Amino acid sequence: MKKALYYTGLGLSISVLSIGLLWSLGLWYYQPISLVPAILLLAAWGAWYFKQKKYPGHILLWLWGLLLLNIITCKLIPGPQPEQWQTPWARNPEFYFSDDGHLLTISNIRDFEYRSETDYTPRYRTETYDLRTITGADFAACHWDGMETVCHTMMSFNFADGRHLVVSAETRLPVGEEQSAIGGLYKRYGLLYLFGTEEDIYGLRTNYRHEDLMLMPLKATPEKAREMLLNFVALQQEAAAHHTAYNTVADNCSTGVIKTFRSVAPNMPWYYNFLPVHNGDIARVLFEHGAVQTRPGESFDAFRKRCYLGYDPAPNTAPGYSEAIRTKINTK
């Protein structure tokens, strides 16, 4: 029995170590500076070997030490601070509160005018919102290329005067970089909580990329919606101040979203914190925990179908885009 446990533990240890060392190869490739401490450790190992004429302890301990060193090195590498970000993510939104905290002014709200996905005129707006007039919030999930297990997640915050403010946590690419899921593990990209208009953020996806976007109204009181919006403001302020790096697994488009949903679905089990890894399930989880506005007896499939916006719901993303997409949902 002891021997079986020993070999089981050894096999598990080697498996985890192998995955870790494979990750280390990516670290050395995407962040060459990380090779320096690794080379120093291997040099120490070699010096010991040639001096003692024998292996310096169990080889597995040295490999675990190498992996630990790589993890520490990755932690110490700062987030990207390029000379220039690519145009869609060039500006940080900035926030200003009134003395009483009720008015929030946001500058650099993205409102691009598109002619195609890659042909657009950059535009930014400055808007002041009375946080006492928030009426609710919507969750948006965007799928592409037929993928169901992975999506991009966004939020809309709705105000009594008819305005809608979108928050979208996005991969912030430096000029010259192309996004990849592997590169996203190694601090190559920044993380930007983008604040924008629905005509820009949603319209880009429905009218020009022709992606599958669902807009799902949440059961969020005005107080909860305000709390969620302020949480995103804080997340962006932190990301800007600390040059937060995007991480495909640990800090992606859904990490902040999951944190905010605790206020509308407090009974979600702890393991739903791992949903950023397979975020295509977030909509189903919200449905199952009663966090979205449904019709009596409506199934999840029917709800999801009703919330699907389709392509070109408002041609040319006219000023009536927000009204058009909500009319489409409410009249199905």
Side-chain angles (χ1 to χ4, degrees), residues 142-148 150-153 209-212 253 279:
C142 184
H143 298 262
W144 61 94
D145 294 339
M147 292 189 296
E148 290 296 324
V150 177
C151 67
H152 181 65
T153 56
R209 293 181 181 170
H210 285 172
E211 296 175 345
D212 297 325
C253 72
N279 56 9

Side-chain angles (χ1 to χ4, degrees), residues 227-279:
E227 178 185 330
M228 288 191 286
L229 174 57
L230 293 178
N231 180 63
F232 281 119
V233 169
L235 286 171
Q236 170 52 28
Q237 289 175 321
E238 180 182 1
H242 297 95
H243 307 287
T244 302
Y246 173 90
N247 186 282
T248 304
V249 174
D251 214 345
N252 57 35
C253 72
S254 298
T255 310
V257 170
I258 287 295
K259 293 177 182 177
T260 66
F261 282 159
R262 290 294 177 187
S263 63
V264 293
N267 296 323
M268 288 170 58
W270 65 269
Y271 49 82
Y272 286 128
N273 289 333
F274 296 105
L275 275 174
V277 181
H278 52 99
N279 56 9

Side-chain angles (χ1 to χ4, degrees), residues 272-295:
Y272 286 128
N273 289 333
F274 296 105
L275 275 174
V277 181
H278 52 99
N279 56 9
D281 289 339
I282 293 178
R284 182 180 294 276
V285 171
L286 291 174
F287 179 88
E288 292 175 349
H289 287 270
V292 290
Q293 296 180 24
T294 58
R295 294 172 179 171

Side-chain angles (χ1 to χ4, degrees), residues 12-28 34 37-38 41-42 59-75 186:
L12 181 62
S13 174
I14 292 175
S15 298
V16 173
L17 179 60
S18 298
I19 295 172
L21 293 176
L22 185 63
W23 169 85
S24 296
L25 292 176
L27 177 66
W28 296 334
S34 63
L41 179 64
L42 292 175
I59 189 66
L60 282 179
L61 294 180
W62 281 87
L63 291 176
W64 274 109
L66 177 62
L67 176 58
L68 178 61
L69 180 64
N70 288 331
I71 293 173
I72 294 173
T73 302
C74 187
K75 288 287 187 181
Y186 300 106

